[in-house]
Amino acid sequence: KDSGLARLSGALLTVLAGQRAQIHNFNSLDFDAWQISTDSNPSNGFDIVLTNPPFGAKIGIKEPNILSNYSFGRIWNQSKLNGWTATEALCASEDPQVLFLEFCVRVLRPGGRLGIVLPEGMFGNKQTAYVWTWLRQQGNIDALLDCPRTAFQPGTDTKTNVLFFRKSERPE
């Protein structure tokens, strides 16, 4: 999001890794931006993803062209017969961490592993129970590590968990 930080990161990375690494500055939730900026499609492209995505309700994703590319960009309903299912209707806004979780799972190769820092509410609120349903369809939840509230202070006081996930060879 910050071109100045991207340039600084690129300079530091060049010193440390030479030409073996690159920095790109674009909306990583936008698959078209990936194609334009990196000349590649990230789907099934990574064995391991370790990340601490930006999160917060105040920075919701509202762009229909992005929301439409994600299951979590849709409104989910719960029924006693079918459990949680995604509808065709798009959300008016979705928290970036929810979309980022789906993105990370989608870019993993079969058997790939994910470690992601997420706010505790994603896993403890009834409104986001569909996240667990979707994750279980995609692979195995290896662990959910509870972090102390002070883990990211002084930057934030948000209570977090670290999800460790392995993508199935064949999603259900």
Side-chain angles (χ1 to χ4, degrees), residues 34-75:
W34 271 90
Q35 189 68 42
I36 292 166
S37 298
T38 68
D39 199 29
S40 66
N41 182 337
S43 296
N44 291 325
F46 300 95
D47 294 314
I48 298 173
V49 174
L50 298 171
T51 185
N52 180 4
F55 45 82
K58 294 179 181 175
I59 55 172
I61 306 300
K62 297 177 181 167
E63 296 90 344
N65 62 317
I66 293 178
L67 292 169
S68 64
N69 287 321
Y70 291 91
S71 294
F72 291 162
R74 305 196 177 279
I75 295 171

Side-chain angles (χ1 to χ4, degrees), residues 2-41:
D2 186 313
S3 59
L5 287 176
R7 283 193 310 273
L8 177 61
S9 298
L12 291 171
L13 197 56
T14 299
V15 170
L16 295 171
Q19 298 303 314
R20 295 176 299 178
Q22 299 175 16
I23 295 288
H24 298 277
N25 184 21
F26 60 92
N27 184 345
S28 59
L29 292 173
D30 186 343
F31 280 90
D32 291 336
W34 271 90
Q35 189 68 42
I36 292 166
S37 298
T38 68
D39 199 29
S40 66
N41 182 337

Side-chain angles (χ1 to χ4, degrees), residues 2-167:
D2 186 313
S3 59
L5 287 176
R7 283 193 310 273
L8 177 61
S9 298
L12 291 171
L13 197 56
T14 299
V15 170
L16 295 171
Q19 298 303 314
R20 295 176 299 178
Q22 299 175 16
I23 295 288
H24 298 277
N25 184 21
F26 60 92
N27 184 345
S28 59
L29 292 173
D30 186 343
F31 280 90
D32 291 336
W34 271 90
Q35 189 68 42
I36 292 166
S37 298
T38 68
D39 199 29
S40 66
N41 182 337
S43 296
N44 291 325
F46 300 95
D47 294 314
I48 298 173
V49 174
L50 298 171
T51 185
N52 180 4
F55 45 82
K58 294 179 181 175
I59 55 172
I61 306 300
K62 297 177 181 167
E63 296 90 344
N65 62 317
I66 293 178
L67 292 169
S68 64
N69 287 321
Y70 291 91
S71 294
F72 291 162
R74 305 196 177 279
I75 295 171
W76 285 68
N77 288 328
Q78 184 182 25
S79 71
K80 291 183 180 182
L81 292 175
N82 299 324
W84 286 97
T85 55
T87 68
E88 291 298 316
L90 291 179
C91 300
S93 177
E94 185 56 87
D95 295 344
Q97 66 270 18
V98 177
L99 297 180
F100 205 83
L101 173 60
E102 180 180 342
F103 174 82
C104 290
V105 171
R106 286 175 55 186
V107 301
L108 286 173
R109 291 185 180 122
R113 294 173 293 160
L114 168 65
I116 184 170
V117 178
L118 294 166
E120 184 178 60
M122 271 191 69
F123 300 106
N125 293 337
K126 288 182 181 181
Q127 303 93 307
T128 56
Y130 63 90
V131 171
W132 285 107
T133 299
W134 185 86
L135 277 172
R136 287 184 185 116
Q137 292 170 346
Q138 305 303 312
N140 298 314
I141 298 165
D142 293 330
L144 188 62
L145 177 68
D146 184 33
C147 299
R149 184 170 296 281
T150 57
F152 294 98
Q153 285 184 345
T156 183
D157 193 37
T158 303
K159 181 79 172 96
T160 58
N161 294 139
V162 181
L163 171 70
F164 294 97
F165 174 85
R166 183 180 304 266
K167 189 172 184 177

